[in-house]
Amino acid sequence: MTKNKAKHEPLFHVVRRTSMPAWQSISIRALSILAAFLVCCLILLIAYQCDPITFISSLFNGVFGTERRIWLFLYDLAILLGISLALVPAFKMKFWNIGADGQTLIGGLGCVAVMHYLGGVLPDAGVIAISLVVSILAGGIWGLIPAFFKARFKTNETLFTLMMNYIAIQLVSFFINTWVSSGTGVLKPIDTGNLPTIGGNTYLLTIILVAILLVFMSVYLRYSKHGFELSLVGENENTARYAGINVRKVIIRTMLLSGVICGVMGFLMVSGYTHTISTSLVNGRGFTGVIVTWLSGFNPLYMVLTSVLFVFLSRGTSQVITNLGITNSAIQNIVIGIFYFCIIGFEFFIRYQVLFTKNGSKRNSSLVKGLEVKAESKEA
Amino acid sequence: MISFITQAIRLAAAFLFGSTGETIVEKSGHLNLGIPGIMCIGAVGGCLGESIYLGSLSSIDAINPFLAVLIPTLFALVFSALMGVLYSFFTVTLHTNQNITGLTITTFGIGFSSYLIQNIDTSGFSKASACFKTLFPFYSNLGIFGELFLSYGFLTYLALIVAIASYIILKKTRIGMNLRAVGESPATADAAGISVSCYRYSATIIGCAISGLGGLFFIMDFLGGNWEYVVDIIGWLAVALVIFTLWNPLIGIFGSFVFSALYIVSSYVSVPFNVIDIIKMLPYLVTILVLIITSIIGSKKAQAPSSLGNNYFREDR
């Protein structure tokens, strides 16, 4: 059996692509989204007898049906994009920060705490300023702790940041239970010390600020010295060290930035919209942000597109659920999971190439030719 | 006090299944962050099997304790093994990033399990759960000894057996040695004629199947057949526990007891209800401490497999 195997040629082999025309990679991505759509349609058809046309029309209706829904879509987009932008520098440095949930939540907690203790005591402007500072500090510290240990002792940051999420959740629950003496565990919205609205529109300020953040982050990553240093650390720590970069400093500085932006996002969510806090404030956006960041290859423009897709899906499917009269939101996670699978699965065809073996004797003829050409050129 | 210890030992099985499974997966070089989702799927798969079995009975009193445990266990194994196939197909065959694939499986697993559990008929689960809970009905005659050591269900003892068996297989057999070689240096293993893909596929599938049992145990045994949306948290703690155990399933037996004691301690202390939230932080704080301490000591023997998290592509050598 094994002897036969040695003679037997594999039917195909896989090689890494060096480059690919842009139109090809774009069409592969489009294909992956299409495939995911088809799978989702099929599942809804089987599970809920929901025909594809109803599915797609209620998706669009859920996102763009009314003016309020469009604003909510843009707002959700801004929040997800903001958190993803916070993650980008860390991920470009190959620092697996899956703790954006906790960093954002703790920022929100800082903001709520200031509103709770100082709201009504100080003028609103003072409360806003102090809560912004406290949120920045809280988020920053939450990012700094794992970064310090990673830089100093190479402590595994993936699990560290994950555990920080749960600590943040417990802290929020602790403070809610401390402040709400009735024991309901629900903190009523605090209406003093909130961010002002622009012309009565609650969402616009957040959207504008995230747009500014997008521009800042693109410039920071592409043109600043910091951006260059962190991508060098991400590519190869030793190279970075030989180039005279203080790796520890870069790790700590980048994670501080990441945590601070998360903290600010928490501040924006609480002060600008919810005016209260619950343990599900961030609702897994930190994880979605990780996937957005990764799928976009750290490119801010692609990040916008990917976030649009995922926010579209999550808002759209929640409408689909309401239309079908389903009370549970599980299908939302399933749909999003299927999209992740299809998109990362199709990545394979962008990065690799499958070559089929035509017949045994001519195996790898192109490869052999290539080697011959190389050898000739060397001789010459 | 006795009830605290027995409850802690009971819950430990969930962590032990999770961490033993993840240890096997990590030994092959896969950092599988999908374990939380896989445990959810294992749990819901088992519930599905149980409900199919109960549905086939003429009346709930005709329940056969042996089948009531065996069928869900097999279902849980198959469901979570399928997720292992999915994970290794993505990382081994399609070379996708392991962390991203894992997180995706977790998202999908949480969604899929909460969808399925709401469409499963869970009536009669409390009766079925009783079959899970005790293996030796005579334990109550044996006093404290029986209470401490014999009062658990089939899955608890299975968890112990699996942990010890995987320790022996990993440390003492050729298969285990080959698997460790694949996790440490796949290129070397490949050159030595070990099929890296084959080992990675099988270790991941077996490891995921074992972890899935942890989810089933948590729902059917520990929670008495009532679904709670915390299986994924157990899963995350199990992943963290692997580092605590230094990739050794025998230490895992002790470690999972510690983690489960920390996990349930908040219901055994009498403090104001807001302080309970602080006590609930303990397992996470301890995990962080363990992470820091193991990284500071950094002894050569107790390190993660060197190519943990890296996919192997022969042409990259």
Side-chain angles (χ1 to χ4, degrees), chain A residues 13-16 47-48 96 98 149 153-156 158-160 162-164 166-167 170-171 173-174 177-178 180-181 183 287 290-291 294-295 328 330-331 333-334 336-338 340-342 344-345 347-348 351-352, chain B residues 31 33 83 86 90 93-97 99-101 103-105 107-108 110-112 114-115 118-119 232-233 236-237 239-240 243 273-278 280-281 283-285 287-288 291-292 295-296 313 315-316:
Chain A
H13 64 279
V14 175
V15 292
R16 199 185 276 279
Y48 296 109
W96 279 85
I98 55 177
F149 286 101
F153 304 113
K154 294 199 183 306
T155 310
N156 181 320
T158 320
L159 288 167
F160 201 134
L162 183 78
M163 292 298 130
M164 296 292 280
Y166 290 111
I167 292 175
Q170 293 302 338
L171 267 184
S173 151
F174 168 74
N177 281 332
T178 312
V180 184
S181 48
F287 288 104
V290 169
I291 292 171
W294 182 264
L295 290 181
N328 90 61
I331 202 85
N333 273 335
I334 298 182
I336 290 178
I338 288 169
Y340 291 162
F341 277 131
C342 287
I344 60 176
E347 281 266 312
F348 173 77
R351 289 190 296 136
Y352 298 94
Chain B
L31 179 62
L33 295 183
M83 295 313 283
L86 191 66
F90 271 89
T93 306
L94 297 183
H95 305 287
T96 58
N97 181 284
N99 291 357
I100 294 291
T101 312
L103 289 178
T104 304
I105 287 195
T107 308
F108 177 78
I110 293 172
F112 181 75
S114 50
Y115 161 71
Q118 289 176 344
N119 291 292
D232 53 319
I233 297 180
W236 284 122
L237 285 171
V239 174
I243 294 180
F273 73 107
N274 56 357
V275 181
I276 285 181
D277 291 313
I278 300 293
K280 280 187 179 164
M281 274 180 207
Y284 316 117
L285 285 174
T287 306
I288 289 180
L291 282 173
I292 294 172
S295 65
I296 290 177
F313 186 47
E315 293 193 8
D316 280 348

Side-chain angles (χ1 to χ4, degrees), chain B:
Chain B
M1 191 60 200
I2 293 289
S3 91
F4 171 66
I5 294 175
T6 50
Q7 278 303 84
I9 294 179
R10 193 177 274 279
L11 177 60
F15 291 114
L16 189 53
F17 274 125
S19 69
T20 309
E22 175 74 358
T23 305
I24 296 173
V25 177
E26 288 194 11
K27 280 288 181 192
S28 77
H30 277 158
L31 179 62
N32 188 354
L33 295 183
I35 288 293
I38 290 168
M39 284 175 81
C40 289
I41 290 210
V44 83
C47 288
L48 181 68
E50 188 72 87
S51 114
I52 290 174
Y53 170 65
L54 292 179
S56 72
L57 295 174
S58 52
S59 89
I60 185 79
D61 297 319
I63 191 166
N64 176 340
F66 179 67
L67 287 179
V69 174
L70 183 69
I71 293 176
T73 307
L74 291 180
F75 264 76
L77 283 175
V78 169
F79 268 69
S80 36
L82 281 177
M83 295 313 283
V85 173
L86 191 66
Y87 179 87
S88 22
F89 175 70
F90 271 89
T91 54
V92 178
T93 306
L94 297 183
H95 305 287
T96 58
N97 181 284
Q98 295 184 6
N99 291 357
I100 294 291
T101 312
L103 289 178
T104 304
I105 287 195
T106 294
T107 308
F108 177 78
I110 293 172
F112 181 75
S113 61
S114 50
Y115 161 71
L116 208 56
I117 195 67
Q118 289 176 344
N119 291 292
I120 287 179
D121 175 22
T122 56
S123 60
F125 266 34
S126 54
K127 198 130 197 177
S129 161
C131 307
F132 273 90
K133 276 194 163 170
T134 17
L135 183 64
F136 308 112
F138 54 82
Y139 79 88
S140 46
N141 304 331
L142 297 172
I144 283 190
F145 173 79
E147 187 85 11
L148 275 181
F149 295 105
L150 298 173
S151 66
Y152 312 105
F154 163 69
L155 286 176
T156 302
Y157 301 105
L158 183 66
L160 273 177
I161 295 169
V162 166
I164 295 169
S166 24
Y167 173 79
I168 294 171
I169 291 173
L170 283 174
K171 281 276 154 79
K172 311 278 181 202
T173 65
R174 177 165 289 273
I175 295 175
M177 196 184 73
N178 287 352
L179 180 64
R180 282 184 289 140
V182 166
E184 295 292 344
S185 170
T188 317
D190 196 13
I194 302 170
S195 164
V196 176
S197 309
C198 172
Y199 268 91
R200 286 199 160 176
Y201 258 101
S202 12
T204 308
I205 293 167
I206 294 170
C208 288
I210 293 173
S211 309
L213 286 184
L216 174 70
F217 168 85
F218 185 67
I219 297 297
M220 287 309 286
D221 186 328
F222 189 74
L223 293 180
N226 301 307
W227 186 272
E228 266 183 43
Y229 293 94
V230 289
V231 185
D232 53 319
I233 297 180
I234 301 283
W236 284 122
L237 285 171
V239 174
L241 186 58
V242 175
I243 294 180
F244 180 94
T245 68
L246 309 173
W247 292 268
N248 180 342
L250 287 189
I251 303 180
I253 297 174
F254 166 72
S256 48
F257 174 71
V258 172
F259 268 51
S260 81
L262 292 172
Y263 191 80
I264 60 170
V265 72
S266 60
S267 9
Y268 287 85
V269 286
S270 48
V271 286
F273 73 107
N274 56 357
V275 181
I276 285 181
D277 291 313
I278 300 293
I279 295 174
K280 280 187 179 164
M281 274 180 207
L282 276 174
Y284 316 117
L285 285 174
V286 169
T287 306
I288 289 180
L289 270 182
V290 168
L291 282 173
I292 294 172
I293 292 169
T294 47
S295 65
I296 290 177
I297 296 172
S299 89
K300 278 220 173 94
K301 254 184 132 180
Q303 285 298 315
S306 0
S307 68
L308 184 64
N310 302 328
N311 289 331
Y312 175 63
F313 186 47
R314 194 183 263 173
E315 293 193 8
D316 280 348
R317 277 190 298 173

Side-chain angles (χ1 to χ4, degrees), chain A residues 75-91 97-105 206 210 213 217 257-259 261-269 281-293 303 307:
Chain A
Y75 176 77
D76 270 8
L77 175 64
I79 298 292
L80 178 62
L81 187 60
I83 292 175
S84 315
L85 285 171
L87 290 173
V88 155
F91 273 78
N97 177 17
I98 55 177
D101 265 78
Q103 289 149 19
T104 313
L105 193 61
T206 308
V210 172
L213 177 65
M217 196 46 85
L257 178 72
S258 193
I261 297 175
C262 281
V264 172
M265 291 312 295
F267 163 79
L268 284 177
M269 284 163 95
L281 174 78
V282 192
N283 202 8
R285 287 193 185 90
F287 288 104
T288 318
V290 169
I291 292 171
V292 166
T293 310
M303 282 173 63
S307 325

Side-chain angles (χ1 to χ4, degrees), chain A residues 103-376:
Chain A
Q103 289 149 19
T104 313
L105 193 61
I106 211 75
L109 179 66
C111 175
V112 165
V114 173
M115 279 158 64
H116 179 81
Y117 288 117
L118 299 179
V121 180
L122 291 182
D124 273 6
V127 176
I128 292 171
I130 296 175
S131 54
L132 177 62
V133 172
V134 172
S135 295
I136 286 177
L137 281 177
I141 289 171
W142 234 242
L144 202 60
I145 297 172
F148 170 77
F149 286 101
K150 169 79 175 178
R152 190 77 185 72
F153 304 113
K154 294 199 183 306
T155 310
N156 181 320
E157 78 277 15
T158 320
L159 288 167
F160 201 134
T161 48
L162 183 78
M163 292 298 130
M164 296 292 280
N165 285 347
Y166 290 111
I167 292 175
I169 287 174
Q170 293 302 338
L171 267 184
V172 167
S173 151
F174 168 74
F175 278 106
I176 292 176
N177 281 332
T178 312
W179 292 331
V180 184
S181 48
S182 63
T184 51
V186 179
L187 186 67
K188 285 202 191 93
I190 302 165
D191 52 8
T192 46
N194 299 332
L195 271 179
T197 55
I198 298 179
N201 187 323
T202 334
Y203 315 109
L204 198 55
L205 182 64
T206 308
I207 295 169
I208 293 173
L209 288 176
V210 172
I212 295 170
L213 177 65
L214 175 68
V215 176
F216 164 76
M217 196 46 85
S218 318
V219 174
Y220 179 80
L221 288 177
R222 216 160 153 188
Y223 299 109
S224 79
K225 188 174 161 221
H226 287 189
F228 176 73
E229 284 178 346
L230 70 89
S231 63
L232 203 56
V233 171
E235 267 159 37
N236 192 329
E237 258 182 48
N238 290 333
T239 317
R241 201 167 287 122
Y242 293 140
I245 292 172
N246 185 342
V247 175
R248 280 181 188 172
K249 198 176 112 192
V250 173
I251 291 178
I252 290 176
R253 183 181 67 202
T254 310
M255 266 309 287
L256 184 66
L257 178 72
S258 193
V260 162
I261 297 175
C262 281
V264 172
M265 291 312 295
F267 163 79
L268 284 177
M269 284 163 95
V270 168
S271 186
Y273 185 57
T274 63
H275 306 158
T276 176
I277 198 163
S278 74
T279 48
S280 59
L281 174 78
V282 192
N283 202 8
R285 287 193 185 90
F287 288 104
T288 318
V290 169
I291 292 171
V292 166
T293 310
W294 182 264
L295 290 181
S296 334
F298 316 128
N299 178 329
L301 178 68
Y302 289 152
M303 282 173 63
V304 178
L305 296 177
T306 322
S307 325
V308 166
L309 176 69
F310 285 131
V311 175
F312 174 82
L313 284 173
S314 76
R315 290 207 64 78
T317 42
S318 66
Q319 183 65 29
V320 173
I321 291 163
T322 335
N323 285 3
L324 290 171
I326 312 166
T327 45
N328 90 61
S329 56
I331 202 85
Q332 216 166 332
N333 273 335
I334 298 182
V335 166
I336 290 178
I338 288 169
F339 270 84
Y340 291 162
F341 277 131
C342 287
I343 296 175
I344 60 176
F346 274 72
E347 281 266 312
F348 173 77
F349 297 103
I350 295 177
R351 289 190 296 136
Y352 298 94
Q353 192 172 14
V354 180
L355 298 179
F356 288 93
T357 318
K358 274 166 200 148
N359 68 48
S361 58
K362 283 183 187 167
R363 181 180 77 108
N364 287 349
S365 55
S366 62
L367 192 70
V368 175
K369 248 183 217 162
L371 288 177
E372 278 166 2
V373 171
K374 236 185 204 170
E376 274 168 22

